[in-house]
Amino acid sequence: MVELLQRNGCILKLLLALFLFLSLVEVPAVEARIRHYKWEVKYEYKSPDCFKKLVITINGRSPGPTILAQQGDTIIVELTNSLWTENVAIHWHGIRQIGTPWSDGTEGVTQCPIVPGDTFKYQFVVDRPGTYLYHAHYGMQREAGLYGSIRVALPDGESEPFSYDFDRSIILNDWYHKSTYEHAVGLSSLNFSWVGDPQSLLIQGKGRFNCFTLTTPSLDSDVCNATNPECSPYAMTVVPGKTYRLRVASITALSALSFQIEGHNMTVVEADGHYVEPFVVKNLFLYSGETYSVLIKADQDPSRNYWMTTNVVSRNATTPPGLAILNYYPNHPRRSPPAVPPAGPAWNNVRSRLDQSLAIKAHQGFIHTPPPTSDRVIVLLNTQNTVNGHVRWSVNNVSFTHPHTPYLIALKQNLTEAFDQTSPPDGYDFVNYDIYKTPNNTNATVSNGIYRLQFNTTVDLILQNANTRNPNNSETHPWHLHGHDFWVLGYGEGKFDMFNDPKKYNLVNPIMKNTVPVHRYGWTALRFRADNPGAWAFHCHIESHFFMGMGVVFESGIDKVGKLPSSIMGCGATRGVHKP
Amino acid sequence: MVELLQRNGCILKLLLALFLFLSLVEVPAVEARIRHYKWEVKYEYKSPDCFKKLVITINGRSPGPTILAQQGDTIIVELTNSLWTENVAIHWHGIRQIGTPWSDGTEGVTQCPIVPGDTFKYQFVVDRPGTYLYHAHYGMQREAGLYGSIRVALPDGESEPFSYDFDRSIILNDWYHKSTYEHAVGLSSLNFSWVGDPQSLLIQGKGRFNCFTLTTPSLDSDVCNATNPECSPYAMTVVPGKTYRLRVASITALSALSFQIEGHNMTVVEADGHYVEPFVVKNLFLYSGETYSVLIKADQDPSRNYWMTTNVVSRNATTPPGLAILNYYPNHPRRSPPAVPPAGPAWNNVRSRLDQSLAIKAHQGFIHTPPPTSDRVIVLLNTQNTVNGHVRWSVNNVSFTHPHTPYLIALKQNLTEAFDQTSPPDGYDFVNYDIYKTPNNTNATVSNGIYRLQFNTTVDLILQNANTRNPNNSETHPWHLHGHDFWVLGYGEGKFDMFNDPKKYNLVNPIMKNTVPVHRYGWTALRFRADNPGAWAFHCHIESHFFMGMGVVFESGIDKVGKLPSSIMGCGATRGVHKP
């Protein structure tokens, strides 16, 4: 019952066995099972897009094994670091970690990194059904391939407000050929070097880079080999006439994506673990860190296969689209569909993306009504700055940097030296700041100060986008909150108007999410209850943006956090003392 | 007095100031000074051989700053790890660390690795004059460029048994274009991939790779640029007529080297911190981890410069020779010498290398007479094996692996679970083992067991070389002992004869060293006193060989080790507990 449940077949058999067992001996239904995984994390050579590079794998795989669980289950992941000289930490994206803030896996915030040779035990309850992710949350390791899916089913006997025959998960990703070290050094050097466009897009870990476009063509066929089976397109097999719940998630390092299936509409039914009032789309926009469930019906000509494609939006990227195959059984899964793969919307079609954002509402009957007012409003201006010659992203002119002692430990043990005790500001110069102009950098600083939120209060977060360092440019940022879901109260263009815009908030049926886009030159208004004791990151989910300082940390109810496990310690002020 | 003493000019000024100060106020001479360094270790892009790659630097440099000290000084290095996600540890090669075994910097043996963001304080006394090294001792980080020189001068008023006008240090290295991660994954995979020949040889951190020979020629001139000043040859300026003490060290990842200076003989006067009965050579052989002082006189035609060259011996390598310039002042240091750079001896000239080994004896008047007999003889057979499908190096059929808790801590705190309590054997099957045949792998194992040596006993170590996995092949291995010097009692060809060979030992004037070669199909006999309490590695100094298991660890007098600093803890059984 507590073994590695990583294959559908295995699970079906197990569930069948469990069912038979229960029907035979009539014991009460087992609730709150423990799902126990043992993972080894290491570097391996892989060719996910035909180009061979070092990838961080879990038990030999990237994406890692999908965690399949039922609401209320306890997940235990014993993670052994076999990266030789590099540490690791894994975040369980979308899991609120109620009562277990030390298992959030955010290096520098909730734990020290796991050093090579050590085994760290993550243990937490998946208290809500839905679609979630896990991924590295240390340095820029996520883009090295350390990520996977979490799928939490409803308890037996409970049903969703929609029906389907089969359940499938795919993760979308963008992919670079340079190492995370090359990216990190480029981004942090005085001689700044941007990571640039990804070389390819991956669908469920598989993509296709055109080896002939290498700027340094390799004579070694091993380096880039278009016939490598590792980079054959991902094929999802469907039975004609059946309806599929397709859980689609994006874990991109940089790219906003559009996802589409040739000849098939998609009905959006879930977002970040919450039921959506269904709406139909031809393409689904996904920002890094977002998860959706869509329903698709295999109702097209069953004699052929169909393309599934994904392409970069919001940036005019050189990255080619990612391709996968919707395989109608019994056609061969490798058979190319007899059509041009569908192109998604133009990269600069901002309106259609905003429309999708606005379309996502809570499902009738599953509405969590937000508190009508908030106790505190924090406006977070996102700007690109230069601080001491380094290119940084800042929030209210403060560029985030990690402390050496994780906040959770420093706060709980009152180690006031461990981080800057001055909180960053709750706003910016609303009157004079022109969001359409390149930022004035004179007052930007680097700090590890945090926001302290009174426990059980309601907080509004207004994310305000602005111009980057380049004239007439503003970028899309997906912001992700740890430890909580927030209500998405509204989106707007231009500068947020603190007096009039709140009147337009959707307080009736706002969706709850954990990741949300802030559109170019626009704002996004969120509300959440600071009801989960701990220290929680809130940051842009673009890997390089967070690395460059685009994030903040919230503390709330630290006195209510239980005894910290010593396993999260060992760095900074908690370095190297033997157990008594 | 205790500031960063990293530049000769600064030191001369400081010494002059000190001299003036002392002569004016007549205070007693300051002995046992503290030399305080603050180092930041990070990744940077460098082009040491014209090819741009990520290099681990200290304060922006590779090689790192030279430590200049006087006998009896205390060295304090506060090392801050800025490698983002990678840990580090630095070994002080040749420094015995008497009373400070926790400062030996050997990850897994004497300390836990230093995690990013942390600052670790190494503190030790340099108790003997001589030429030493420092370098990373964690994973394969050394070959990423983390190394430098230590030069310890005699106390004021004392003099050496030879004279010279100026003192200079250079380090020789071999250089790869792949990352340490790529090497480590290749070596440890079931699909074994050998590191291959280095791309170039560096003299004092500078080499020259021929960019046109890239198998994947780059269109990006930034990747390999022959005009980059970072890869202009190192030039050592000499004043005609003067005599120079040149301290030459090798820190190669793999290569045995020959070093020569066009038109100049070299008089060998020091080896690994011990005075050598002088002898003259045209070329100096250096194995990884060895240091020598040679005297050279600038007595040639002063109107031109001369080549200094180094080339690979003992392997038939594709690596081109390394070039530097002996610059006769006032010729321009960049002026190429008007001659073909001297080639060293043929790579397979084994005799000349053995001759040098045999020529190195202790200087008359500086002989440390070895104990006439030993209390224990450990014969260490070096073989290449396959263990569970992995290619490994073994010693007496045991392939070394690091424990997760450093031995020093595990031994001192009696954590018997931390490593295999079974010691590896003191010998091998002398009667039946054929060193000229490929090894029989059936009995090879991987273990982290160690040798326990009775304190203050005399131990003989016989390193026995043999055939590799390839027929008719045996390789040269430089073995390095931590925490001690050993007497080099003898070298021999073929299988060591325990009855007759000891009769030929040099017990009269053997040199003491810390690193010594074991020649192909040969043996090397060493004797040392286990008189330094601690846990000490003894291993092949070839980076990939030690990584593949070619090493052992000695414990001796652990009960006499003082209180361990908590700063060395934090991993394995000492993971993450907060200071009380």
Coordinates of all heavy atoms in Angstrom, one line a residue, chain A residues 43 45 54 83-87 116-119 138-139 181-182 185 188 215-216 218-219 404 413 547 566-567 569-570 572-579, chain B residues 43 45 54 83-87 116-119 138-139 181-182 185 188 215-216 218-219 404 413 547 566-567 569-570 572 574-579:
Chain A
Y43 N 22.6 13.7 -11.7 CA 22.9 14.2 -13.1 C 23.0 13.0 -14.0 O 23.7 12.0 -13.6 CB 24.2 15.0 -13.1 CG 24.0 16.5 -12.8 CD1 24.4 17.0 -11.6 CD2 23.3 17.3 -13.7 CE1 24.3 18.3 -11.3 CE2 23.2 18.7 -13.4 CZ 23.7 19.2 -12.2 OH 23.5 20.5 -11.9
Y45 N 23.2 12.2 -18.5 CA 23.1 12.7 -19.9 C 21.7 12.3 -20.4 O 21.4 11.1 -20.4 CB 24.2 12.1 -20.7 CG 25.5 12.9 -20.6 CD1 26.6 12.3 -20.0 CD2 25.6 14.2 -21.2 CE1 27.8 13.0 -19.9 CE2 26.8 14.9 -21.1 CZ 27.9 14.3 -20.4 OH 29.0 15.0 -20.3
L54 N 23.6 17.5 -19.7 CA 23.3 17.0 -18.4 C 22.0 17.4 -17.8 O 21.7 18.6 -17.9 CB 24.5 17.4 -17.4 CG 25.8 16.7 -17.6 CD1 26.8 17.3 -16.6 CD2 25.7 15.2 -17.4
L83 N 24.0 14.3 -6.4 CA 24.5 15.2 -7.4 C 26.0 15.5 -7.2 O 26.5 16.5 -7.7 CB 23.7 16.6 -7.3 CG 22.3 16.5 -7.6 CD1 21.6 17.9 -7.4 CD2 22.1 16.2 -9.1
W84 N 26.7 14.7 -6.4 CA 28.2 14.8 -6.2 C 28.5 16.0 -5.4 O 29.0 15.9 -4.2 CB 29.0 14.9 -7.5 CG 28.8 13.6 -8.3 CD1 28.2 13.6 -9.6 CD2 29.1 12.3 -8.0 NE1 28.2 12.3 -10.0 CE2 28.7 11.5 -9.1 CE3 29.7 11.7 -6.9 CZ2 28.9 10.1 -9.1 CZ3 29.9 10.3 -6.9 CH2 29.5 9.6 -8.0
T85 N 28.4 17.2 -5.9 CA 28.9 18.4 -5.1 C 27.8 19.5 -5.0 O 28.1 20.5 -4.5 CB 30.1 19.0 -5.8 OG1 29.8 19.3 -7.2 CG2 31.3 18.1 -5.8
E86 N 26.6 19.2 -5.5 CA 25.6 20.2 -5.5 C 24.4 19.8 -4.6 O 24.1 18.7 -4.5 CB 25.1 20.3 -7.0 CG 24.2 21.4 -7.3 CD 24.0 21.6 -8.8 OE1 24.8 21.2 -9.6 OE2 22.9 22.1 -9.1
N87 N 23.9 20.8 -4.0 CA 22.8 20.6 -3.1 C 21.4 20.6 -3.8 O 21.4 20.9 -5.0 CB 22.8 21.6 -2.0 CG 24.1 21.7 -1.3 OD1 24.7 20.7 -1.0 ND2 24.6 22.9 -1.2
P116 N 24.9 16.7 -0.8 CA 25.1 15.4 -1.4 C 25.3 14.3 -0.4 O 26.1 14.5 0.6 CB 26.4 15.6 -2.3 CG 26.3 17.1 -2.6 CD 25.8 17.7 -1.4
G117 N 24.7 13.2 -0.7 CA 24.9 12.0 0.2 C 23.8 12.0 1.3 O 23.5 10.9 1.8
D118 N 23.2 13.1 1.5 CA 22.1 13.1 2.6 C 20.8 12.7 2.0 O 20.5 12.9 0.8 CB 22.0 14.5 3.2 CG 23.0 14.7 4.3 OD1 23.7 13.7 4.7 OD2 23.0 15.8 4.9
T119 N 19.9 12.2 2.8 CA 18.5 11.9 2.5 C 17.7 12.7 3.3 O 17.8 12.8 4.6 CB 18.2 10.4 2.7 OG1 19.1 9.6 1.9 CG2 16.8 10.1 2.4
Y138 N 15.9 25.9 -5.8 CA 17.2 26.2 -5.3 C 18.0 26.6 -6.5 O 18.1 25.9 -7.5 CB 17.8 24.9 -4.7 CG 19.2 25.1 -4.1 CD1 19.4 26.2 -3.2 CD2 20.2 24.2 -4.3 CE1 20.6 26.3 -2.6 CE2 21.5 24.4 -3.7 CZ 21.7 25.4 -2.8 OH 22.9 25.6 -2.3
G139 N 18.6 27.8 -6.4 CA 19.4 28.4 -7.5 C 18.5 28.3 -8.8 O 17.3 28.7 -8.7
Y181 N 24.5 26.7 -14.4 CA 25.7 27.5 -13.9 C 26.0 28.5 -14.9 O 26.3 29.7 -14.6 CB 26.9 26.6 -13.7 CG 26.8 25.8 -12.4 CD1 26.3 24.5 -12.4 CD2 27.1 26.5 -11.2 CE1 26.2 23.9 -11.2 CE2 27.0 25.8 -10.0 CZ 26.6 24.5 -10.0 OH 26.4 23.8 -8.8
E182 N 26.0 28.2 -16.2 CA 26.3 29.2 -17.2 C 25.2 30.3 -17.2 O 25.6 31.5 -17.3 CB 26.3 28.5 -18.6 CG 27.5 27.6 -18.8 CD 27.5 26.8 -20.0 OE1 26.5 26.0 -20.3 OE2 28.5 26.8 -20.8
V185 N 25.8 32.4 -13.8 CA 26.9 33.3 -13.9 C 26.7 34.5 -14.9 O 27.0 35.6 -14.6 CB 28.2 32.5 -14.3 CG1 29.4 33.4 -14.7 CG2 28.6 31.5 -13.2
S188 N 24.4 37.0 -13.1 CA 24.9 37.7 -11.9 C 26.2 38.5 -12.2 O 26.6 39.1 -11.3 CB 25.0 36.7 -10.8 OG 26.0 35.7 -11.2
T215 N 24.7 26.6 -34.0 CA 25.6 27.6 -34.4 C 27.0 27.0 -34.5 O 27.9 27.4 -35.3 CB 25.7 28.8 -33.5 OG1 25.9 28.3 -32.2 CG2 24.4 29.6 -33.6
T216 N 27.2 25.9 -33.7 CA 28.5 25.2 -33.8 C 28.2 23.8 -34.2 O 28.0 22.9 -33.3 CB 29.2 25.3 -32.4 OG1 28.4 24.7 -31.4 CG2 29.6 26.7 -32.0
S218 N 28.0 20.1 -34.8 CA 28.9 19.1 -34.2 C 29.2 18.0 -35.2 O 28.3 17.5 -35.9 CB 28.2 18.6 -33.0 OG 29.0 17.5 -32.5
L219 N 30.4 17.6 -35.2 CA 30.8 16.5 -36.0 C 30.5 15.2 -35.3 O 30.5 14.1 -35.9 CB 32.3 16.5 -36.4 CG 32.8 17.8 -37.0 CD1 34.3 17.8 -37.3 CD2 32.0 18.0 -38.4
H404 N 21.2 33.6 4.4 CA 22.0 32.3 4.6 C 21.3 31.4 5.6 O 21.5 30.2 5.5 CB 23.4 32.6 5.0 CG 24.1 33.4 4.0 ND1 25.1 34.3 4.3 CD2 24.0 33.4 2.7 CE1 25.5 34.9 3.2 NE2 24.9 34.4 2.2
Q413 N 13.2 31.0 15.8 CA 14.2 31.0 16.9 C 14.7 32.4 17.2 O 15.7 32.6 17.9 CB 15.4 30.1 16.5 CG 14.9 28.6 16.3 CD 16.1 27.7 16.0 OE1 17.1 28.1 15.5 NE2 15.8 26.4 16.3
F547 N 15.6 34.6 -9.7 CA 17.1 34.7 -9.4 C 17.6 36.1 -9.4 O 18.5 36.4 -8.6 CB 17.8 33.8 -10.5 CG 19.3 33.7 -10.3 CD1 19.7 32.7 -9.4 CD2 20.2 34.5 -11.0 CE1 21.1 32.5 -9.3 CE2 21.5 34.3 -10.8 CZ 22.0 33.3 -9.9
S566 N 14.9 19.2 12.9 CA 16.3 19.6 12.8 C 16.8 19.3 11.4 O 17.8 19.9 10.9 CB 17.1 18.8 13.8 OG 17.1 17.5 13.5
S567 N 16.1 18.5 10.6 CA 16.6 18.1 9.3 C 16.6 19.3 8.3 O 17.3 19.3 7.3 CB 15.7 17.0 8.7 OG 14.3 17.4 8.6
M569 N 17.7 22.2 9.1 CA 18.8 23.1 9.5 C 20.1 22.6 9.0 O 20.3 21.7 8.3 CB 18.8 23.2 11.0 CG 17.4 23.5 11.6 SD 17.5 23.6 13.4 CE 15.7 23.7 13.7
G570 N 21.2 23.4 9.3 CA 22.5 23.0 8.9 C 23.3 24.1 8.1 O 24.4 23.9 7.7
G572 N 23.9 28.6 7.5 CA 23.8 29.9 8.1 C 24.1 29.8 9.6 O 25.0 29.2 10.0
A573 N 23.2 30.4 10.4 CA 23.3 30.4 11.8 C 23.1 29.0 12.4 O 23.4 28.8 13.6 CB 22.4 31.4 12.4
T574 N 22.6 28.1 11.6 CA 22.3 26.7 12.1 C 23.3 25.7 11.6 O 23.1 24.5 11.5 CB 20.9 26.2 11.7 OG1 20.9 26.0 10.3 CG2 19.8 27.2 12.1
R575 N 24.5 26.2 11.2 CA 25.5 25.4 10.6 C 26.1 24.4 11.6 O 26.6 24.8 12.6 CB 26.5 26.2 9.9 CG 27.5 25.4 9.1 CD 28.5 26.3 8.5 NE 29.5 26.7 9.4 CZ 30.5 27.5 9.1 NH1 30.6 28.0 7.9 NH2 31.4 27.9 10.0
G576 N 26.2 23.2 11.2 CA 27.1 22.2 11.6 C 27.3 22.0 13.1 O 28.4 22.0 13.6
V577 N 26.2 21.7 13.8 CA 26.4 21.4 15.2 C 25.8 20.0 15.4 O 24.8 19.6 14.9 CB 25.7 22.4 16.2 CG1 25.8 21.9 17.6 CG2 26.2 23.7 15.9
H578 N 26.5 19.1 16.1 CA 26.1 17.8 16.2 C 24.9 17.6 17.1 O 24.7 18.4 18.0 CB 27.2 16.9 16.7 CG 26.9 15.4 16.7 ND1 26.7 14.7 17.8 CD2 26.7 14.6 15.7 CE1 26.3 13.5 17.5 NE2 26.3 13.4 16.2
K579 N 24.1 16.6 16.8 CA 22.9 16.4 17.6 C 23.4 16.1 19.1 O 24.3 15.4 19.3 CB 22.2 15.1 17.1 CG 21.3 15.4 15.9 CD 20.7 14.1 15.4 CE 20.0 14.4 14.0 NZ 19.7 13.2 13.3
Chain B
Y43 N 32.0 30.9 -9.4 CA 32.2 30.6 -10.8 C 32.3 31.8 -11.7 O 31.6 32.8 -11.4 CB 31.0 29.8 -11.4 CG 31.1 28.3 -11.2 CD1 30.3 27.6 -10.2 CD2 32.0 27.5 -11.9 CE1 30.4 26.3 -10.0 CE2 32.1 26.1 -11.7 CZ 31.2 25.5 -10.8 OH 31.3 24.2 -10.6
Y45 N 33.4 33.1 -15.9 CA 33.9 32.7 -17.2 C 35.3 33.2 -17.4 O 35.7 34.3 -17.1 CB 33.0 33.4 -18.3 CG 31.8 32.7 -18.7 CD1 30.5 33.2 -18.3 CD2 31.8 31.5 -19.3 CE1 29.4 32.5 -18.7 CE2 30.7 30.8 -19.7 CZ 29.4 31.3 -19.3 OH 28.3 30.6 -19.6
L54 N 33.4 28.0 -17.7 CA 33.3 28.3 -16.3 C 34.4 27.8 -15.5 O 34.7 26.6 -15.6 CB 31.9 27.8 -15.8 CG 30.7 28.5 -16.2 CD1 29.4 27.9 -15.6 CD2 30.7 30.0 -15.9
L83 N 29.2 29.8 -4.8 CA 29.0 29.0 -6.0 C 27.6 28.7 -6.3 O 27.2 27.8 -7.0 CB 29.8 27.6 -5.8 CG 31.3 27.7 -5.7 CD1 31.9 26.3 -5.4 CD2 31.9 28.2 -7.0
W84 N 26.7 29.4 -5.7 CA 25.2 29.3 -5.9 C 24.6 28.0 -5.3 O 23.9 28.1 -4.3 CB 24.8 29.4 -7.4 CG 25.2 30.7 -8.0 CD1 26.1 30.9 -9.0 CD2 24.8 32.0 -7.6 NE1 26.3 32.2 -9.3 CE2 25.4 32.9 -8.5 CE3 23.8 32.5 -6.7 CZ2 25.2 34.3 -8.4 CZ3 23.6 33.8 -6.6 CH2 24.3 34.7 -7.4
T85 N 24.9 26.9 -5.9 CA 24.2 25.7 -5.4 C 25.2 24.6 -5.1 O 24.8 23.5 -4.8 CB 23.3 25.1 -6.5 OG1 24.0 25.0 -7.7 CG2 22.1 26.0 -6.7
E86 N 26.5 24.9 -5.2 CA 27.5 23.8 -5.1 C 28.4 24.1 -3.8 O 28.7 25.3 -3.5 CB 28.4 23.9 -6.3 CG 29.4 22.8 -6.5 CD 30.0 22.7 -7.8 OE1 29.4 23.2 -8.8 OE2 31.2 22.2 -7.9
N87 N 28.8 23.1 -3.1 CA 29.6 23.2 -1.9 C 31.1 23.2 -2.3 O 31.4 23.0 -3.4 CB 29.3 22.0 -1.0 CG 27.8 21.9 -0.8 OD1 27.1 22.9 -0.5 ND2 27.3 20.7 -0.9
P116 N 26.8 26.8 0.0 CA 26.8 28.2 -0.5 C 26.3 29.2 0.5 O 25.3 28.9 1.2 CB 25.8 28.1 -1.7 CG 26.0 26.7 -2.2 CD 26.1 25.9 -0.9
G117 N 26.9 30.3 0.5 CA 26.5 31.4 1.5 C 27.3 31.3 2.8 O 27.4 32.3 3.5
D118 N 27.8 30.2 3.1 CA 28.5 30.0 4.4 C 30.0 30.5 4.2 O 30.6 30.4 3.1 CB 28.5 28.6 4.9 CG 27.2 28.3 5.7 OD1 26.4 29.3 5.9 OD2 27.0 27.2 6.1
T119 N 30.5 30.9 5.4 CA 31.9 31.2 5.4 C 32.6 30.3 6.4 O 32.1 30.1 7.5 CB 32.1 32.7 5.9 OG1 31.6 33.6 4.9 CG2 33.6 33.0 6.1
Y138 N 37.0 18.1 -3.1 CA 35.6 17.7 -3.1 C 35.2 17.4 -4.5 O 35.4 18.2 -5.4 CB 34.8 18.9 -2.5 CG 33.3 18.7 -2.3 CD1 32.9 17.6 -1.7 CD2 32.4 19.7 -2.8 CE1 31.5 17.4 -1.5 CE2 31.1 19.5 -2.6 CZ 30.6 18.3 -1.9 OH 29.3 18.1 -1.7
G139 N 34.6 16.3 -4.7 CA 34.2 15.9 -6.0 C 35.4 16.0 -6.9 O 36.5 15.5 -6.6
Y181 N 31.1 18.3 -13.9 CA 29.9 17.5 -13.8 C 29.9 16.5 -15.0 O 29.5 15.4 -14.8 CB 28.7 18.4 -13.9 CG 28.4 19.0 -12.5 CD1 28.8 20.3 -12.2 CD2 27.7 18.2 -11.6 CE1 28.6 20.8 -11.0 CE2 27.5 18.8 -10.3 CZ 27.9 20.0 -10.0 OH 27.7 20.6 -8.8
E182 N 30.3 17.0 -16.2 CA 30.3 16.1 -17.3 C 31.3 15.0 -17.1 O 31.0 13.8 -17.4 CB 30.6 16.9 -18.6 CG 29.5 17.9 -19.0 CD 29.9 18.8 -20.1 OE1 30.9 19.6 -20.0 OE2 29.2 18.9 -21.1
V185 N 29.9 12.5 -14.3 CA 28.8 11.7 -14.8 C 29.3 10.6 -15.7 O 28.9 9.4 -15.6 CB 27.7 12.5 -15.5 CG1 26.7 11.7 -16.2 CG2 27.0 13.4 -14.4
S188 N 31.1 7.9 -13.7 CA 30.3 7.1 -12.7 C 29.1 6.4 -13.4 O 28.4 5.6 -12.7 CB 29.8 8.0 -11.6 OG 29.0 9.0 -12.1
T215 N 36.5 20.3 -32.6 CA 35.7 19.4 -33.4 C 34.4 20.0 -33.8 O 33.8 19.7 -34.8 CB 35.5 18.1 -32.7 OG1 34.9 18.4 -31.4 CG2 36.7 17.3 -32.5
T216 N 33.9 21.0 -33.0 CA 32.7 21.7 -33.3 C 33.2 23.2 -33.4 O 33.0 23.9 -32.5 CB 31.6 21.5 -32.2 OG1 32.2 22.0 -31.0 CG2 31.2 20.1 -32.1
S218 N 33.5 26.9 -33.7 CA 32.4 27.9 -33.2 C 32.4 29.1 -34.2 O 33.5 29.6 -34.5 CB 32.7 28.3 -31.8 OG 31.8 29.2 -31.4
L219 N 31.2 29.5 -34.5 CA 31.1 30.7 -35.2 C 31.2 31.9 -34.3 O 31.3 33.0 -34.7 CB 29.7 30.7 -36.0 CG 29.5 29.5 -36.9 CD1 28.1 29.6 -37.5 CD2 30.6 29.5 -38.0
H404 N 29.1 9.5 4.3 CA 28.3 10.7 4.4 C 28.7 11.6 5.6 O 28.5 12.8 5.7 CB 26.8 10.4 4.4 CG 26.4 9.7 3.1 ND1 25.4 8.8 3.1 CD2 26.9 9.8 1.9 CE1 25.3 8.4 1.8 NE2 26.2 9.0 1.1
Q413 N 33.5 10.8 17.7 CA 32.3 10.7 18.4 C 31.8 9.2 18.4 O 30.6 9.0 18.8 CB 31.3 11.6 17.8 CG 31.8 13.1 17.9 CD 30.7 14.1 17.4 OE1 29.9 13.8 16.7 NE2 30.9 15.3 17.9
F547 N 38.4 9.7 -7.7 CA 37.0 9.7 -7.8 C 36.5 8.3 -8.1 O 35.4 7.9 -7.6 CB 36.6 10.6 -9.0 CG 35.1 10.8 -9.2 CD1 34.4 11.7 -8.4 CD2 34.4 10.1 -10.2 CE1 33.0 11.9 -8.6 CE2 33.1 10.3 -10.4 CZ 32.4 11.2 -9.6
S566 N 32.7 22.9 15.7 CA 31.4 22.5 15.1 C 31.3 22.9 13.7 O 30.4 22.4 12.9 CB 30.2 23.1 15.9 OG 30.3 24.5 15.8
S567 N 32.1 23.8 13.2 CA 32.0 24.3 11.8 C 32.3 23.2 10.8 O 31.9 23.3 9.7 CB 33.0 25.4 11.6 OG 34.3 25.0 11.9
M569 N 31.0 20.3 10.9 CA 29.9 19.4 10.9 C 28.7 19.9 10.1 O 28.8 20.9 9.5 CB 29.4 19.1 12.4 CG 30.6 18.6 13.2 SD 30.1 18.4 14.9 CE 31.7 18.2 15.7
G570 N 27.7 19.1 10.0 CA 26.5 19.5 9.3 C 26.0 18.6 8.3 O 25.0 18.9 7.6
G572 N 25.6 14.2 7.0 CA 25.5 12.8 7.5 C 24.9 12.8 8.8 O 23.8 13.4 9.1
T574 N 25.7 14.3 11.4 CA 25.8 15.5 12.1 C 25.0 16.6 11.4 O 25.3 17.8 11.5 CB 27.3 16.0 12.1 OG1 27.7 16.4 10.8 CG2 28.2 14.9 12.7
R575 N 24.0 16.2 10.7 CA 23.2 17.1 9.9 C 22.3 18.0 10.7 O 21.5 17.5 11.5 CB 22.4 16.3 8.8 CG 21.7 17.2 7.9 CD 20.9 16.4 6.9 NE 19.7 15.9 7.4 CZ 18.8 15.2 6.8 NH1 19.1 14.8 5.5 NH2 17.7 14.8 7.3
G576 N 22.4 19.3 10.4 CA 21.3 20.2 10.7 C 20.8 20.3 12.1 O 19.6 20.2 12.2
V577 N 21.6 20.4 13.1 CA 21.0 20.7 14.4 C 21.5 22.0 14.8 O 22.7 22.4 14.7 CB 21.5 19.6 15.4 CG1 20.9 19.9 16.8 CG2 21.0 18.2 14.9
H578 N 20.6 22.8 15.4 CA 21.0 24.1 15.8 C 21.9 24.2 17.0 O 21.9 23.3 17.8 CB 19.8 25.0 16.1 CG 20.1 26.4 16.3 ND1 20.0 27.0 17.5 CD2 20.6 27.3 15.5 CE1 20.3 28.3 17.4 NE2 20.7 28.5 16.2
K579 N 22.8 25.2 17.0 CA 23.7 25.3 18.1 C 22.9 25.4 19.4 O 21.9 26.1 19.4 CB 24.5 26.6 18.0 CG 25.7 26.5 17.0 CD 26.4 27.8 16.8 CE 27.4 27.7 15.6 NZ 27.9 29.0 15.2

